[in-house]
Every structure is written in structure tokens, then in C-alpha cells.
Amino acid sequence: MNQAMRRSLRPWHLLLLVPLLVASTPAKRPAQASLAGTTLEALRVRFPSPPVVGTWTPFTVTAIDKDNLVFQGYTGIVDVTVTGPQAGVQPPFHLFISDFAGVAPFEARWPVPGVYTVTARERGGTVFTVHTVEVPGPATRLAFELPLSAPAGAPVTGRVVAYDAGNNVARGFNGAIRFESSDPRATVPRNVTLNQGSGSFTFVFFSAGGQIVRVHDASGSGLTSTDDTITVVPGPIQSFELSSSDNTPMAGEQFFVQLVARDAYDNQTFDPSQTLQFSSTDPAAELPVGVRLGTEPYPIILKTAGRQDISVSISNGARGTLAGLEVSPGAFHEVRLSPPTTQAVDICTAATVELRAVDLYGNAVPYDEDVLLCGTPGQALSFVESTLEDVSPGNAGCIVGDLPPSGVGLVRWSSRDPGPVVFEVNQATARTVTLTWQDQGISPANSRISFPGAPRNPPLLRTFTATQPVLFEPRNACGVAVDPPTGQTLNIAVQSPLVRIRDAEREERGRWTTEVRLPKCPDTGAAPLKLGPTLNGEPLQLPNNAGPLYAEILPNCLPPDVLLELVARPKDAKATPGAEVQFELTLSNTGGDIIPAGRLWLEAESLTVLEASLDGEKLETSSMKLSIPELAPGAVRTVKLKGLAGVQLDVPVMLSAWYTTLEDTALTEQKAVSLEWDELAANVGCGCQTGALPSQFLPWLALLAVASRARARLRRLTRGERIDR
């Protein structure tokens, strides 16, 4: 070993520790040969990290037993030497005492780049190993490698390696690097470092074509890689860019559309296997069918004048549109007639005939000749209005004039006679159109609801007393009186609480009448109430969705002329089962007119009416309708009623009454009075249950119950009689 090597082996003084380490070994530790048959089979050298020139690098020597496991109990001595350009190692040997468990640490220094040999040999034995170590020099250049190609938008991996002057990997270079790319949209790593002289990084390129990438040492040392080029391949078609050879084509003339396919990153791409689907906002357009994507332009013919769009798409949904092509009309071809929206119209109703000067494809074009339009001779046809210029009616059912500059004119006609009318223009290429007028019966727009005798409209209808005649005059579209179609029923529907006294009756053709009354004031007070005609129960509807035909009546919420009062006698009377009860009812005429004879209606619950009298004269009570003579203005009539209470205590005794005309028209509101049961009624004591008994037995049963209870309450007990009998 030369003098320089000896100077580099600085820690020779560690050999002085060997006797101490040996002396400190426990006396009972068995020798190598006595470790239960375990022997040293091999030695293994391991470097945790690559050697770096000019530094001390740690490494380990591991004892391996016959089972290829770490010989943790090995206590022998291993000599380690490093040979090569000016190499050094410390310590030169090592004891495998228990503290190392079969793995002994060493370190070596590598003064200059080169290839070094590390030899580990068992002292006094035959086991040894030789490990070769390549120690690179400092980095002198950077190398960068990318795949040859990659799809646009797809991540790819590039590798950077630092090399020394001898073209060895400069594992000691762990510096920061930066990247430059010719693709301005590329995603490149930022603020990255190499690890032991190399590293792999992810890149994403978006611009198609050859893209160059360069690596620089970020520390400014001047290390630079050679340029590497990657070919970025366009992705699948995501859209189309369309251009036209003529942005203002004429209807029927051929022009061409050029396509450019682009991927998701706007790169021009191409796929000849794709079948194109053309479409247009022009329903009459002639478009290519079943063609594949190519480089040649595609022929197109549009036929509908105005702003039109052309679109193309493929099966994956990629689409492109050429918008805003202004298609101009072609040369004049003929004047065409068009019917109104509805072929059949009501008589006396205006219908429109459209005159349109058109090219071969139906586009409106200017036309400066007179146009003569005539309907079928002999029809009751009337000219209503027109958009023609210099218009003048000719013969009956004809009109002549000039079309407006737009080439489209409208003429409105009406007819009083039902039937078809054929219209015709005077051009050689004349087209005809037929309109059919028909009498569709009642026209709500021309029909009328009125109130005969009413001094105002809407009329004011008083509650309870007054009635109001209603007149409905059905008319057709010509204003002629008509009746409902055969099989349909006409009536007048009223809004509650209005009451129709009778169904609508026909007085004569086009004249139907009824009467309504108001038996009570509406909950809404004086708000108008509606009434209107119906056919088979359905309201007649006005045109243009204006709703049903109706008229209004205003309520006059005055008190009734006849006042009815109903009270029990005495006023604080209570009911006893089966006992007699009495009621008093008064009828007063508060108006200025005589109230004709009428009926007093009674309803009773848990009560049998036995007797009734009017001003002291007995009335017939076979029914619950009592006849009342006429009431003079200011007259007051008194009706007294007697009856028997029922025997069901869970049903209150109640009497209600109201007054009507002989035609059962209510003249008063319904009044009612009820009686509470007497407390003593709870102890009738009959011991029976109320059942369904004939009505003629109820009064007698009630009387017997009352008599029985009263006697039991007043009778004295006889001597020796038990109270619990």
C-alpha cells in the first residue's frame, strides 16, 4: 500500500479498541464453531446509496448463514479493503459482535472517479466476497429522452439523466432542472430536481406536429440537454369547421361547402372512415347523402329563400354548422293562391286568400303585372279588404290590383250563402283555391242577452220578492235569427244564488225567454252575478278564446217584505218527554203591496204537531204546509201551534218554518227554534228502550210515562213497605 493510501487510512487508531471489544465479550458466549451447527457461508456488501466522488460513502458487510439468512450471532473478524484510484476505507476490519447482529457498518472515500473494488474476507477463514463499485465524476451534460410520438392531450413520460465526462451517470447530481417546449400550450414539470443523477417526468402536449423539448440546469451552471423531438398526433374528431364557396347563393343554384375536422384541442385532424350526415334548416335542400370525410368540397343546393344554416355530424356526436347563409329567391315562375288556416268558415265571416308571386321553389319574388282574382260566379261574395295596390273591384266577385313589392298580397272575402267558392287568378300558370262557407248555427259574437222591462243594464234584482225576465236572441254570423241545431237543448245557466224559475222557452225563431229570482243575498254582497246561454249544458264560447257569452245582474239586498218570527211559549219553556209544547209564529207584510195567498212550511224534529190556529181560527194540520190568506200592507197574522214532545232525550225538540208563494217561491228565510229538555226528564223510569214505534203511539206512550212518573213521586209509602221494592 503506497504512502498516500496510508495517509488516507486515518482511523487506524480504532484498532486499539479491538482488545477492549474482545475483553468485553461475555465469557459464556459460545465460539463460532459451537453455535448449534450454524456456520458462516457468505459475506455480502451493500451500498445504501451510490458512491459520490470526493466523499465518504457508507456501506455494510453482512454475514450470511447456511440458510441464506443474516448470521446474527456471528462474532468473527472480517477484513475489508478497497482497491482502486487512491481509495480508502475505515475501519480496515470489523468485529461482528452482538451489537451489529450480523451486519457491520463501514465507509469508504473515493478521491477521484473510477472503478473500485471492495473486498470483504473472513480472517482466518475461507469466506470472502468481492464487490465492484463505479464512482462517476461530476455532471458535465444532461440527456433527455421522450417517446417518438403521443396523442394530443395524453400524458407521456420523459427521462432526464446527468452524465459525467466519462459518460457515466453522475449520481451525485441532485440539482434542480427546468424545461422548455416549442408547444406553447404544453404542460411541462415545474420546479423539479434529479435524484442520484436521473429522474422521470410527465408531459402533456396539445399542439399537433413535431414539438421540441430542452432541459436546463436551473442553478445556472450551463448544463443543457440536446433537443428532443416528439410528434404530437391529433386526437379524434370533435368538431367541424365549415366554409362556403358562396355565402349568398340563389335558390336552386349549386354551391360547395369545404370541411375541416378538428380534435378537442383545435388541431386539424382527419378520419376517412367517418360517414358524414348533412342537415339544413331548409327543408327542401339537396344535400350529400352517405358520403365519407374527404378533402374535396361537397355540393349543396338550397331552395328556400332567407337565412339558412347547414350542419354536418358524425356518429360520435362531433358536429359543425355553417350559419347565416342568405339564400335569395330565383326568377318569377307563377302566382300561387293559398287558402286560410281553416278551409271551412262561417257565413258572413271574412276569410283570406293569399296571392304570392313565386319562383320555381315557392319563394316570394317581385311581380309588377296586374293580378285579377275572381271567385265562382253567382255566389253572394263580398269583397272586404285587400293589401293589393291600386285595387279596384271588377265584375261581381272579382278584384284587380298590383302585388306589393314583397310579392305577397292578401284579399279578404265574405259570403252570405253557404257553399264552396273557387278562386282563380288570370296568369297562364293559374292555381285555384276553394273556400267553403257554411252556416254553423248560433254565433255567440252576434247573439244577445237582454232583460225586458229592466230600467237599467245590468238590472237591479231585489232579494226574495222580485223576478226578472231574461231574453236570449240567438243569431248566426250574418245576424239572422236562428234556433239551436237539431238535437241540442238551449237553456240559461245562472250563478248561485240566482234561481232560474223555469227552463228557457222558445217564443219564436231566435227568441227564448225565462225568469230568474234571488231568494237570498249572496255571500259576496252586491257583486254582480252572471247568467248565460248553454247548449246541452255547455256555455256558448265567444271567438278568440274570449270566454263564454254572459250577462250580469246586480243583487239588491233588501230585507224581505214578509217578516217571519218564531218563538216558544212561554219563551223559557223546556220540553218534557211526551208533554205538550206551544209555539207562536207571526207573519208581517212590511211592504206597500198586497202579498198574495201563500204557504207556511213547517219542519219538526222530536215533535208531533197536534193543533194550529191562525188568528184564533183553526187550521188544517194534516200536512206540514199551512195555507195562509193574502197579506195586506201592514197586516200581521199570528199562528199558534200545539204539539207533543218526543221521548228520545238525545234528540232535541225543534221546529222550523218559512213562507212561500203558492208556486213554492220563498218569500222569507227559514227560521227555527229548539227547546232544551227539562232536567226532570232524565228520570222517566220506564225501564224500557226506545224503539221504532208507529207515530200514533208516541203521544200516548209519552203521556203514560209522565203520569207514571208523577204518581210514583207523590205517593206515600205504606206501613211496613220496603223502599227498595
Side-chain angles (χ1 to χ4, degrees), residues 375-656:
T376 304
Q379 295 283 344
L381 195 63
S382 299
F383 166 71
V384 178
E385 60 182 345
S386 172
T387 63
L388 299 182
E389 298 178 353
D390 300 328
V391 64
S392 61
N395 300 327
C398 294
I399 188 174
V400 65
D402 295 334
L403 290 175
S406 64
V408 180
L410 304 176
V411 181
R412 292 173 61 82
W413 304 87
S414 68
S415 175
R416 298 183 62 86
D417 295 337
V421 176
V422 179
F423 292 91
E424 185 176 12
V425 294
N426 62 333
Q427 276 72 15
T429 55
R431 299 286 186 94
T432 63
V433 65
T434 301
L435 299 182
T436 300
W437 275 273
Q438 59 187 20
D439 191 348
Q440 296 178 339
I442 298 175
S443 169
N446 294 322
S447 301
R448 189 169 72 98
I449 307 172
S450 59
F451 303 97
R456 53 172 292 176
N457 190 23
L460 195 62
L461 181 59
R462 182 179 175 183
T463 52
F464 297 103
T465 304
T467 61
Q468 176 60 58
V470 179
L471 173 63
F472 175 58
E473 299 172 293
R475 300 289 185 266
N476 65 9
C478 294
V480 177
V482 293
D483 282 340
T486 303
Q488 294 190 340
T489 301
L490 187 147
N491 215 334
I492 303 294
V494 296
Q495 181 182 351
S496 179
L498 276 177
V499 174
R500 187 182 62 238
I501 296 177
R502 56 181 171 81
D503 289 339
E505 298 176 353
R506 181 183 185 276
E507 291 186 353
E508 58 186 45
R509 182 181 178 87
R511 186 178 179 87
W512 293 70
T513 62
T514 186
E515 286 184 276
V516 297
R517 61 184 302 274
L518 190 61
K520 68 174 184 177
C521 184
D523 295 336
T524 55
L529 298 173
K530 297 179 180 180
L531 71 165
T534 62
L535 281 179
N536 286 352
E538 295 296 327
L540 292 180
Q541 298 292 326
L542 293 168
N544 301 322
N545 298 319
L549 172 65
Y550 68 89
E552 293 180 338
I553 285 180
L554 294 175
N556 188 14
C557 297
L558 297 177
D561 285 340
V562 180
L563 297 182
L564 183 151
E565 297 292 337
L566 176 62
V567 296
R569 293 298 185 199
K571 290 185 178 181
D572 58 351
K574 295 185 178 181
T576 301
E580 181 181 284
V581 291
Q582 298 186 18
F583 299 91
E584 185 175 292
L585 186 148
T586 58
L587 290 171
S588 306
N589 183 358
T590 61
D593 299 324
I594 296 176
I595 303 299
R599 293 191 180 97
L600 181 65
W601 293 71
L602 302 176
E603 280 188 356
E605 191 169 359
S606 195
L607 173 68
T608 302
V609 177
L610 301 177
E611 181 180 315
S613 64
L614 174 64
D615 296 335
E617 296 183 5
K618 187 176 181 180
L619 294 174
E620 176 62 40
T621 59
S622 59
S623 70
M624 298 296 278
K625 294 185 292 185
L626 306 181
S627 298
I628 305 297
E630 69 179 24
L631 296 174
V636 178
R637 296 293 181 93
T638 301
V639 177
K640 294 184 178 181
L641 301 168
K642 292 182 180 181
L644 294 179
V647 295
Q648 292 179 286
L649 300 182
D650 57 341
V651 180
V653 176
M654 180 178 293
L655 179 68
S656 61

